[in-house]
Amino acid sequence: MAKTNKNQDTEGQILNAAKNVFQKKGMDGARMQEIADAAGINKAMLHYYYRSKQLLFEAVFSNAFSLLAPQLNKILNDDSSIEEKVKNFTSNYISFISKHPYLPNFIIQELNRNPKFFEKIQKSAAFPTLEKFKSQVDEEVEKGILKPIDGEQLFINIISLNIFPFVATPLIKGFLKIDDKGFKQLMERRKTEVAGFIINSIKK
């Protein structure tokens, strides 16, 4: 039976409220009562939609990932050069994670705590595929456009340089003595810094 508009509206309110609470408090610090209050519903209603905080967290993650994954998949599999892919992937990823900063830590937590959930996500039709990216790297190496590099290693380098600042936000803010505003400005500059760093390291 299809959900009514009212049910969809309530679920949307819950997911939006949960996203904001998880973003501020993290998985462990968030409380179901706080999420219910933020959504403007009672706790019983919240439990009707989501029996546990874990299930709610998974729903928030799945919702956000379903927005990010198609963007990344499109970039990896379009007809642009590897240089353009690096630029576009980095810019899109940093923009997206800046709006959903809880996601990288959540992924790491879930990989350790609940690997079967990530297996479900991985089976999604929108999950990014690397085959074209890897073969394109091989082609550009063969043509002398890129230095010899393995496509999988390059992808890990791209992901690592983009993810780490968000995973280690408190550490970076402490080292650099910057506040939230300063961190956001740093990440905005990083869109071109990371892309330039990677491109300079792989282009002949």
Side-chain angles (χ1 to χ4, degrees):
M1 184 174 167
K3 290 183 179 179
T4 66
N5 287 340
K6 186 176 180 182
N7 284 346
Q8 289 174 334
D9 288 347
T10 302
E11 190 165 7
Q13 284 174 237
I14 291 169
L15 290 174
N16 192 52
K19 180 189 77 172
N20 292 332
V21 173
F22 286 138
Q23 194 165 313
K24 291 175 188 171
K25 303 288 182 69
M27 168 68 175
D28 295 331
R31 297 287 174 266
M32 292 293 269
Q33 183 63 62
E34 186 178 5
I35 293 168
D37 292 343
I41 60 173
N42 59 45
K43 196 172 175 182
M45 177 67 78
L46 178 58
H47 280 286
Y48 170 78
Y49 282 90
Y50 297 99
R51 294 190 310 276
S52 69
K53 184 169 66 168
Q54 176 68 29
L55 288 173
L56 180 52
F57 208 8
E58 289 180 10
V60 170
F61 172 77
S62 297
N63 190 49
F65 191 79
S66 71
L67 298 174
L68 174 64
Q71 290 181 35
L72 300 186
N73 204 28
K74 183 179 178 184
I75 292 166
L76 290 169
N77 289 285
D78 68 16
D79 294 325
S80 62
S81 67
I82 291 297
E83 180 175 348
E84 287 304 308
K85 279 180 165 59
V86 171
K87 289 177 182 176
N88 292 335
F89 189 101
T90 298
S91 180
N92 279 38
Y93 181 87
I94 290 176
S95 291
F96 189 87
I97 299 300
S98 293
K99 294 175 185 173
H100 304 88
Y102 60 89
L103 271 180
N105 276 312
F106 174 69
I107 292 171
I108 290 167
Q109 287 172 24
E110 287 304 286
L111 284 173
N112 293 316
R113 182 170 55 187
N114 186 13
K116 288 190 176 177
F117 170 63
F118 202 76
E119 285 172 17
K120 282 193 292 183
I121 294 290
Q122 202 169 8
K123 289 173 184 172
S124 157
F127 194 85
T129 57
L130 285 180
E131 296 315 306
K132 179 169 182 177
F133 178 82
K134 290 191 293 184
S135 64
Q136 193 176 349
V137 170
D138 291 342
E139 287 171 17
E140 293 197 16
V141 168
E142 188 70 27
K143 290 176 182 175
I145 298 169
L146 303 179
K147 297 173 186 174
I149 186 168
D150 177 75
E152 291 176 347
Q153 293 291 344
L154 174 57
F155 184 73
I156 292 170
N157 289 344
I158 295 168
I159 286 289
S160 302
L161 286 167
N162 282 311
I163 286 179
F164 181 76
F166 292 100
V167 172
T169 300
L171 184 68
I172 289 174
K173 284 163 71 174
F175 275 136
L176 302 182
K177 296 181 173 54
I178 54 177
D179 57 13
D180 286 344
K181 184 179 178 182
F183 184 79
K184 285 177 182 175
Q185 291 171 342
L186 183 71
M187 290 304 99
E188 193 60 33
R189 295 197 303 274
R190 196 160 174 78
K191 290 178 184 179
T192 51
E193 288 289 334
V194 168
F197 181 81
I198 292 171
I199 289 163
N200 288 336
S201 75
I202 63 174
K203 283 201 81 174
K204 279 194 168 181

